[in-house]
Amino acid sequence: GAVVSQHPSWVICKSGTSVKIECRSLDFQATTMFWYRQFPKQSLMLMATSNEGSKATYEQGVEKDKFLINHASLTLSTLTVTSAHPEDSSFYICSARAGAYEQYFGPGTRLTVT
Amino acid sequence: QKEVEQNSGPLSVPEGAIASLNCTYSDRVSQSFFWYRQYSGKSPELIMSIYSNGDKEDGRFTAQLNKASQYVSLLIRDSQPSDSATYLCAVRGFTGGGNKLTFGTGTQLKVEL
């Protein structure tokens, strides 16, 4: 299967600071990338969908000014959590799709806000 | 009614047995169906995709799709302890947010020695 990488795999930051998470498709060009969040023992929650060169489409209830998404190229998308608070602590997972078919997930980034 | 429904389990099977995981979906125009495996603390891993009615086999895994019944299943033959994980059914269609996957809540599988 295709490979999606994420960096960092875990990060600890102080409340009020911003954190950037990178997502890369390593062996394919991703026309669409997705960002998910998952709290312990809960389902995946889609936060936003982004297409290369376009503004991201956010799911209802997700603050676009807090979770900044940039999909600058066909292999790179970034999620910036701005002014992070402890309630933003979660497992953030990106996913990438080439064309209309299969969608692959990155390994995830565990964010802890202290 | 949830868009994609799965029994949360846990489903316990003995090692070497066949594990049968089931999923139903509500959107009749759904076109693409996927099974992901997620180990605790890890991200989902794609294990099967199926797009047309019938069976699709890949190693120990067989996906089955019945669009008329709006039903998709995953069979795992010769189950191993390493198969113990949560299995997520995902569906993608064309209505509304057709660009994105809709996930079930997952079925926890436990393969016992």
Side-chain angles (χ1 to χ4, degrees):
Chain A
V3 179
V4 178
S5 71
Q6 255 182 270
H7 177 81
S9 55
W10 59 270
V11 58
I12 300 172
C13 71
K14 292 188 175 180
S15 187
T17 61
S18 296
V19 172
K20 180 185 283 189
I21 302 169
E22 287 190 354
C23 175
R24 293 180 185 273
S25 56
L26 297 185
D27 51 1
F28 68 102
Q29 293 186 322
T31 51
T32 307
M33 286 186 167
F34 306 85
W35 287 94
Y36 294 83
R37 181 165 59 179
Q38 188 174 37
F39 293 105
K41 299 196 183 297
Q42 293 189 22
S43 301
L44 289 168
M45 188 194 83
L46 178 65
M47 300 175 66
T49 302
S50 72
N51 293 295
E52 184 264 340
S54 303
K55 288 185 178 180
T57 301
Y58 290 81
E59 294 299 301
Q60 191 171 8
V62 178
E63 300 175 59
K64 61 180 180 182
D65 294 331
K66 181 172 183 61
F67 299 100
L68 302 178
I69 292 171
N70 184 283
H71 191 163
S73 75
L74 286 171
T75 60
L76 173 64
S77 176
T78 59
L79 167 68
T80 301
V81 183
T82 62
S83 187
H85 291 286
E87 56 265 31
D88 298 324
S89 298
S90 188
F91 190 39
Y92 291 86
I93 315 171
C94 73
S95 183
R97 191 175 83 211
Y101 301 105
E102 297 169 345
Q103 186 172 320
Y104 300 91
F105 284 85
T109 297
R110 200 161 298 280
L111 170 65
T112 301
V113 184
T114 60
Chain B
Q1 183 187 5
K2 291 182 180 176
E3 294 182 57
V4 179
E5 292 207 50
Q6 294 182 256
N7 188 318
S8 62
L11 171 66
S12 294
V13 300
E15 183 178 8
I18 296 175
S20 178
L21 304 163
N22 304 315
C23 172
T24 57
Y25 60 95
S26 60
D27 188 347
R28 282 197 168 275
V29 300
S30 298
Q31 295 292 319
S32 307
F33 307 87
F34 307 89
W35 283 100
Y36 289 86
R37 176 175 63 197
Q38 186 174 25
Y39 293 111
S40 181
K42 302 293 186 181
S43 66
E45 173 192 6
L46 179 65
I47 53 173
M48 289 289 286
S49 60
I50 187 166
Y51 306 104
S52 55
N53 281 328
D55 295 1
K56 179 182 178 182
E57 187 175 318
D58 184 0
R60 295 187 296 114
F61 299 100
T62 298
Q64 299 174 316
L65 175 61
N66 184 324
K67 290 186 178 181
S69 299
Q70 295 174 242
Y71 175 92
V72 59
S73 65
L74 179 70
L75 300 178
I76 306 175
R77 289 181 299 282
D78 187 24
S79 296
Q80 301 297 309
S82 59
D83 294 326
S84 297
T86 296
Y87 288 79
L88 303 171
C89 173
V91 174
R92 184 165 69 227
F94 293 115
T95 59
N99 191 34
K100 57 188 179 184
L101 293 178
T102 300
F103 284 90
T105 53
T107 298
Q108 184 183 6
L109 173 67
K110 293 185 176 180
V111 180
E112 297 166 334
L113 295 170

